[in-house]
Amino acid sequence: MSATNRFAGRVTELDRKLAATEIEHARSEGEYGVAEAARRLALVQTATTRAALRVAVGSRAGDVIPPAIEAAPRIAAALWLLISVVHIVIWLMIGLITGDWDPWPIWVLVGGGLLAAAVWAAREWDRRLRSVPGVGG
């Protein structure tokens, strides 16, 4: 179950125990200091909703997606679009000046699009792996 779906709704005593166990485990792994773990455990005891539990547990190192992985698909798509527009403008200028309408920009459009789609798919694959317990972090 993903980190965002663990807690959603009213809090039961079992939910509090599970959250406290996660915090203790994170403390034992060195992710939280003693003071931080104590502060989070106090938040767990006073939590009345699962959203409050989610805040108390917080994100752990394995739950956070690196910013570079999040931004890569947008950057790849923007570069592909920019390069494609430049190639189409050059192609139109060559076609208007010389009358040669050879369809060479298709390679840039298709090849770059496939590369941008591959980057997007890699990011989605990483997200799915992170949502499987025990696999991504």
Side-chain angles (χ1 to χ4, degrees):
M1 186 180 304
S2 73
T4 57
N5 292 333
R6 267 189 299 236
F7 309 115
R10 291 185 180 172
V11 175
T12 66
E13 199 55 38
L14 179 61
D15 293 328
R16 283 194 177 98
K17 287 180 183 177
L18 289 172
T21 302
E22 274 196 54
I23 292 169
E24 285 299 324
H25 177 71
R27 187 191 57 78
S28 70
E29 293 288 318
E31 293 180 38
Y32 302 141
V34 175
E36 178 66 13
R39 183 187 71 79
R40 288 177 184 266
L41 287 170
L43 289 173
V44 166
Q45 294 307 316
T46 60
T48 57
T49 65
R50 289 188 180 183
L53 280 181
R54 191 178 324 112
V55 170
V57 172
S59 65
R60 297 176 53 195
D63 296 339
V64 177
I65 298 174
I69 291 176
E70 277 298 307
R74 288 188 303 273
I75 292 170
L79 284 173
W80 169 65
L81 183 64
L82 176 69
I83 291 169
S84 296
V85 167
V86 168
H87 276 80
I88 288 173
V89 168
I90 291 170
W91 177 71
L92 286 172
M93 288 173 52
I94 290 172
L96 291 173
I97 293 171
T98 66
D100 182 19
W101 295 100
D102 188 27
W104 59 265
I106 196 81
W107 296 107
V108 174
L109 297 174
V110 172
L114 288 173
L115 286 173
V119 171
W120 205 282
R123 197 264 317 260
E124 289 303 313
W125 180 62
D126 180 69
R127 281 183 174 175
R128 287 189 184 113
L129 280 180
R130 289 174 188 276
S131 68
V132 176
V135 173

